Amino acid sequence: MAYCEKCGAKIKAGSNFCEGCGKSFKKVESQGKTSKQRPTFLNVWLILMIIGNAFALIGASVMPLIIPIVIVNFILIWALYNWKKWGFYGYIGTGIIGLFLNASLYGGTGVAISLIGLIVGVLILYFAMKPVWNHFE
């Protein structure tokens, strides 16, 4: 299946424009497998997620309960890198678990910081994935 480079919508065989955004292009002759190209910003964000989780793992001596969450986050990042939507939903889930964990350990300040981190992190990931959302399985 071919996808539009601009909006990520599926392109029907023989079509010369995208039905999603109207971009014109050469006709797609076959529905053969096309390569998926990850946007640079998504690659950068995934790398930053790996670095952030690595620092969290280093700091896990202070809060060992975070180790399983960090390990799961590494798996979720791998899933996102391999075009799996469940990686995005799992990332939201581990963020919510982290929110409750921080609430139970640190109270209001931990909740506020975790909530801001969760919302901002998920929004950045969403907007990084949005142009190629249809590539994710």
Side-chain angles (χ1 to χ4, degrees):
M1 177 65 60
Y3 297 93
C4 175
E5 295 173 359
K6 183 176 178 185
C7 73
K10 293 179 183 177
I11 301 170
K12 293 181 181 177
S15 181
N16 58 0
F17 70 95
C18 174
E19 292 179 7
C21 67
K23 180 180 190 261
S24 64
F25 43 80
K26 294 180 183 176
K27 287 186 178 183
V28 177
E29 298 302 326
S30 69
Q31 301 237 355
K33 191 172 186 176
T34 60
S35 65
K36 299 175 186 176
Q37 187 172 3
R38 198 172 294 101
T40 303
F41 183 69
L42 180 55
N43 280 330
V44 169
W45 188 247
L46 291 174
I47 290 168
L48 289 174
M49 288 172 67
I50 290 169
I51 293 169
N53 277 283
F55 278 115
L57 197 56
I58 291 168
S61 61
V62 176
M63 189 169 63
L65 292 173
I66 203 164
I67 294 172
I69 294 172
V70 171
I71 292 170
V72 169
N73 275 343
F74 281 125
I75 293 167
L76 297 172
I77 294 166
W78 172 86
L80 289 168
Y81 186 79
N82 288 290
W83 302 99
K84 306 295 181 197
K85 278 185 187 176
W86 58 264
F88 175 73
Y89 300 120
Y91 179 69
I92 294 171
T94 59
I96 292 170
I97 292 169
L99 178 70
F100 285 113
L101 186 60
N102 280 331
S104 66
L105 295 173
Y106 302 113
T109 306
V111 170
I113 292 170
S114 291
L115 188 59
I116 291 168
L118 174 64
I119 292 170
V120 170
V122 168
L123 284 175
I124 291 172
L125 181 58
Y126 171 75
F127 285 111
M129 292 173 63
K130 188 177 179 183
V132 290
W133 183 260
N134 291 333
H135 292 318
F136 285 86
E137 302 167 358

